[in-house]
Amino acid sequence: MEFRPCIDIHNGSVKQIVGSSLSDQGDTAQENYVSGQDAAFYAGLYREYNIINGHIIMLNPVMSPYYEATKKQALNALYAYPGGLQVGGGITPENAGEFLLAGASHVIVTSYVFKNGQIRYDHIEKMVREVGRERLVLDLSARKKENRYFIVTDRWQKYTDVELTERTLDELSNYCDEFLVHAVDVEGKAEGIEEELARLLGDWGKLPVTYAGGVHSMDDLRLLKSIGRNRVNVTVGSALDLFGGSMKFEEVLRECQGISYTIKKPAK
């Protein structure tokens, strides 16, 4: 299990929010933490620790009056850590190249490949032609409905008709390098992980998968490592001390990397 850091940007600021509270109407969200540092600061920190494959998520839609400020923050983070971070939020074949040229290792896509509740394979294929499978991450963030997990889009606000199952993961794994899965119902609440979802991802385990949502203690990390069969990578957001929480950044790294791992900042 690897630690995958995050930089969530909303209304031009680095924030931690309650995922299920996000609304495009008025660009509102329930905030857990608003950082006084910009996105480039966090990118530089992750670079100092040689942590790769973290993700930047732009939480404003393209039509939002805040989008340009949010995008600027994302681009500055990519410039600060070229090749070290992935970026998602409103990514299409038309704008993906800009973020890759700015230094993104991968682009993360959800809404573009799901339209009217269905998987648009023609859209996925267009993304693959544009960026290459090896630089594409599919965000399959999910919420529970009728006791099943369904993929949600448009900043987690719209349910698709696509259930997140091992078969779905098998089908979509032909088109991407990794998956990112937010457990939206617990995202930002720091009340524990979605065990059923984490178990599904660990049982599948054929591509790298990053799980995000609900981690609030070292016990949560150990539980995720166990039920995820050490195949599921993890993001810690609101509970991390970098974002106002109680979990120490370096202790999280040690837990994820193994007890023998010693944190050392490389020389600048």
Side-chain angles (χ1 to χ4, degrees):
M1 181 171 75
E2 297 177 6
F3 175 69
R4 298 289 184 88
C6 63
I7 304 173
D8 294 343
I9 309 170
H10 183 245
N11 295 358
S13 297
V14 176
K15 296 182 181 180
Q16 285 294 313
I17 67 167
V18 177
S20 58
S21 74
L22 187 63
S23 175
D24 288 347
Q25 186 172 0
D27 293 294
T28 59
Q30 181 180 332
E31 298 170 347
N32 289 329
Y33 181 80
V34 181
S35 179
Q37 302 286 354
D38 62 11
F41 167 84
Y42 291 98
L45 178 67
Y46 302 151
R47 182 176 183 173
E48 285 183 5
Y49 280 86
N50 291 327
I51 310 168
I52 62 171
N53 292 319
H55 53 272
I56 302 166
I57 302 295
M58 299 180 289
L59 292 171
N60 292 104
V62 173
M63 69 286 296
S64 165
Y66 295 100
Y67 175 76
E68 289 301 323
T70 290
K71 177 183 174 182
K72 183 178 179 180
Q73 286 265 21
L75 290 173
N76 286 341
L78 295 174
Y79 299 145
Y81 192 5
L85 295 165
Q86 306 167 359
V87 64
I91 303 294
T92 67
E94 289 71 34
N95 66 13
E98 179 181 5
F99 293 99
L100 293 173
L101 286 173
S105 65
H106 298 71
V107 290
I108 305 167
V109 179
T110 310
S111 300
Y112 178 76
V113 303
F114 293 91
K115 295 294 179 181
N116 300 319
Q118 302 297 320
I119 301 172
R120 286 288 302 269
Y121 284 100
D122 57 329
H123 282 200
I124 300 177
E125 289 165 359
K126 188 174 181 180
M127 280 298 310
V128 171
R129 287 195 300 271
E130 184 65 28
V131 307
R133 175 189 171 190
E134 70 282 358
R135 303 193 76 177
L136 181 61
V137 176
L138 291 180
D139 184 335
L140 304 184
S141 295
R143 302 183 77 169
K144 214 165 193 180
K145 184 172 68 171
E146 298 172 351
N147 210 35
R148 296 182 292 166
Y149 286 103
F150 287 87
I151 296 168
V152 289
T153 66
D154 298 278
R155 293 153 300 283
W156 311 320
Q157 296 166 74
K158 295 182 181 178
Y159 280 95
T160 69
D161 298 327
V162 183
E163 186 178 357
L164 184 56
T165 64
E166 290 196 26
R167 180 177 178 180
T168 303
L169 293 166
D170 278 336
E171 291 177 0
L172 294 176
S173 67
N174 296 308
Y175 301 95
C176 66
D177 194 45
E178 297 189 8
F179 292 117
L180 171 63
V181 180
H182 291 84
V184 178
D185 289 325
V186 299
E187 173 70 19
K189 295 182 178 179
E191 295 175 350
I193 66 172
E194 283 270 16
E195 295 184 34
E196 184 180 347
L197 181 58
R199 187 172 285 107
L200 165 67
L201 300 175
D203 287 346
W204 182 73
K206 297 176 184 178
L207 280 184
V209 179
T210 298
Y211 168 91
V215 174
H216 78 304
S217 68
M218 292 298 171
D219 285 342
D220 283 335
L221 289 179
R222 295 176 190 119
L223 177 61
L224 180 62
K225 184 180 287 189
S226 174
I227 65 178
R229 301 172 66 178
N230 206 25
R231 296 170 170 173
V232 179
N233 302 318
V234 65
T235 288
V236 182
S238 298
L240 201 63
D241 62 351
L242 298 180
F243 304 113
S246 61
M247 295 180 71
K248 302 298 183 185
F249 176 58
E250 293 192 351
E251 291 178 8
V252 168
L253 292 182
R254 289 190 183 98
E255 182 64 39
C256 292
Q257 298 289 354
I259 195 168
S260 62
Y261 187 73
T262 301
I263 304 301
K264 255 188 191 178
K265 290 186 182 182
K268 294 183 180 179

